[in-house]
Amino acid sequence: MKKLLVLTALLAATGMAQAATLTQKNLSLAQANQLASAAVQACVAKNYQVSVTVVDRAGVIKAVQRTDNAGPHTVKASEMKAFTALSTKNASGKVMEAAQNNAGAQNMRDVPGFLLLAGGLPLKAGDEVIGAIGIGGAPGGNLDEACAQQAIDNVKL
């Protein structure tokens, strides 16, 4: 009887472990490249020289594009904005506002990899965050964010 209970418990535990396996959506390389290209086009149409970084749900870079005359700092800025948006599942500009207006959130600026400037947006499939896009180089984070939003609106996720 004791062996039967142990065997039953072991089988139940194995079933629970299998039930804990996750199925998650993720951003494809093709989607990341489409988003980066669409964002560059949106910014170039307004004469902004930018860099665009797209990261997957784990924060790993999937695509980077830099216009010919974008400053070298824009590459890292776009990456950090994307990482901030992904990590917080929120627009990097909103994270910046929270840090400015909420004493309890002010130390967010010290989180490694975060850049509290507008220009990073999470990418969603339904309600699930599957990546993020960050843009740096336009003459204002709000303009970076507008280009990012235009790219998201034009690429099917």
Side-chain angles (χ1 to χ4, degrees):
M1 181 71 162
K2 218 176 194 181
K3 287 183 183 180
L4 182 57
L5 288 174
V6 170
L7 181 59
T8 303
L10 183 59
L11 289 173
T14 303
M16 282 191 267
Q18 289 176 348
T21 301
L22 298 176
T23 302
Q24 298 175 323
K25 295 177 183 175
N26 207 342
L27 190 66
S28 72
L29 177 60
Q31 290 170 316
N33 283 327
Q34 289 172 341
L35 283 162
S37 293
V40 165
Q41 289 174 3
C43 283
V44 167
K46 297 171 182 147
N47 293 317
Y48 306 150
Q49 298 299 313
V50 299
S51 291
V52 178
T53 300
V54 179
V55 298
D56 66 12
R57 72 177 306 121
V60 177
I61 296 170
K62 292 288 273 194
V64 177
Q65 290 190 22
R66 180 178 158 266
T67 60
D68 294 333
N69 292 313
H73 68 285
T74 63
V75 175
K76 192 65 175 175
S78 68
E79 177 186 351
M80 292 173 72
K81 289 178 182 185
F83 182 77
T84 302
L86 173 80
S87 296
T88 61
K89 299 180 180 178
N90 206 340
S92 60
K94 297 232 184 264
V95 179
M96 174 188 69
E97 290 171 9
Q100 290 172 340
N101 300 324
N102 179 351
Q106 287 179 353
N107 288 336
M108 288 180 62
R109 68 181 173 273
D110 298 327
V111 175
F114 271 31
L115 182 57
L116 302 185
L117 294 174
L121 294 174
L123 301 170
K124 294 183 177 184
D127 292 333
E128 192 173 350
V129 174
I130 61 168
I133 185 170
I135 301 178
N142 60 319
L143 303 173
D144 290 327
E145 186 172 313
C147 291
Q149 187 61 60
Q150 186 175 340
I152 292 168
D153 292 345
N154 291 326
V155 175
K156 185 179 179 190
L157 298 178

